[in-house]
Amino acid sequence: MRSPRPYAPLTGPGAQSLTERRKAATQLDIARAACELFAERGPDGTTAEDIAHRAGVALRTFYRYFRNKQEAVAPLLAGGGDTWRALLAEEDPGTPLAEALERAVTRSLSGQQAVEEGLEVTRGLLRAAADDPALRAVWYCVNQDSEEHLVPVIGRLAGPGADPREVRLLAAAATDAIRVALELWSATDAPVSGTGSPAELAVRCLRDLTGAMPLLR
């Protein structure tokens, strides 16, 4: 299942227009409303009408952007991946990839925004997804999109001589490391920082999955 992606942030020559930014802001408002209601009532107790009302938009506006109530959470779930890819893209080419990956993952999962909104929202959604296949499908779709967008970022850092196969494998492993870490953390009551936190778990998963990869040697 593919969710629409007009909410994906763009910078540089391809930056979003004012209209596109307004659309993205509306989508994010709807996503926050969906997350709040899912946390309060669960997916089964929430309708698209409820989400639209909480977000202050018409139902037709809701369906302009999302096909169903579960898909409405995609912008918030995607935000974490957007953030960590942007942090990784800040690294200079030639920086050891293992260091760059761990630094970007740690920063994205321990920053103020992640703690204040993203992590607790993700924990609630992943818990709700345990009994909702459609919500799980959105989570997996968001991760697949993130992996695809990660490939050129890693490719730039690895350099023009990097094997495309190795770049793809590293992008897949890095994405899965974060996904698994968040899923494991969400099933517990561990804190958002320190021992057992998403940042710590993600780095451990990253090392386990990528330790033998040629690009990191």
Side-chain angles (χ1 to χ4, degrees), residues 167-191:
V167 171
R168 286 291 305 275
L169 285 173
L170 183 55
T175 302
D176 277 347
I178 297 175
R179 177 183 61 80
V180 170
L182 287 170
E183 290 172 354
L184 290 172
W185 173 76
S186 295
T188 73
D189 293 320

Side-chain angles (χ1 to χ4, degrees), residues 101-102 104-111 114-115 117-123 126 139 174 176-206:
L101 288 167
E102 289 189 16
V105 168
T106 300
R107 290 175 64 195
S108 68
L109 292 175
S110 56
V115 171
E117 179 180 81
L119 292 179
E120 289 298 348
V121 166
T122 298
R123 172 142 59 188
L126 290 181
W139 170 241
D176 277 347
I178 297 175
R179 177 183 61 80
V180 170
L182 287 170
E183 290 172 354
L184 290 172
W185 173 76
S186 295
T188 73
D189 293 320
V192 296
S193 60
T195 304
S197 67
E200 185 207 41
L201 287 172
V203 169
R204 288 167 57 191
C205 290
L206 188 63

Side-chain angles (χ1 to χ4, degrees), residues 42-212:
D44 289 341
T46 301
T47 66
E49 290 88 347
D50 294 332
I51 296 170
H53 180 73
R54 175 70 65 92
V57 301
L59 184 59
R60 66 178 178 276
T61 300
F62 175 93
Y63 282 117
R64 184 181 304 153
Y65 297 120
F66 305 108
R67 290 171 293 187
N68 55 59
K69 60 186 179 182
Q70 288 90 349
E71 193 177 84
V73 304
L76 277 179
L77 289 177
D82 294 337
T83 298
W84 105 263
R85 288 194 311 275
L87 291 170
L88 184 62
E90 293 176 359
E91 298 283 345
D92 294 327
T95 302
L97 270 173
E99 294 179 15
L101 288 167
E102 289 189 16
R103 187 160 42 241
V105 168
T106 300
R107 290 175 64 195
S108 68
L109 292 175
S110 56
Q112 184 176 358
Q113 182 179 357
V115 171
E116 288 182 351
E117 179 180 81
L119 292 179
E120 289 298 348
V121 166
T122 298
R123 172 142 59 188
L125 288 174
L126 290 181
R127 286 180 174 179
D131 299 314
D132 193 310
L135 197 53
R136 287 200 303 276
V138 173
W139 170 241
Y140 292 135
C141 179
V142 165
N143 277 273
Q144 179 62 40
D145 283 346
S146 184
E147 178 186 324
E148 292 174 2
H149 286 80
L150 183 59
V151 170
V153 178
I154 290 179
R156 183 185 69 85
L157 294 176
D163 185 332
R165 177 183 62 86
E166 294 177 6
V167 171
R168 286 291 305 275
L169 285 173
L170 183 55
T175 302
D176 277 347
I178 297 175
R179 177 183 61 80
V180 170
L182 287 170
E183 290 172 354
L184 290 172
W185 173 76
S186 295
T188 73
D189 293 320
V192 296
S193 60
T195 304
S197 67
E200 185 207 41
L201 287 172
V203 169
R204 288 167 57 191
C205 290
L206 188 63
R207 290 174 180 174
D208 289 342
L209 287 173
T210 64

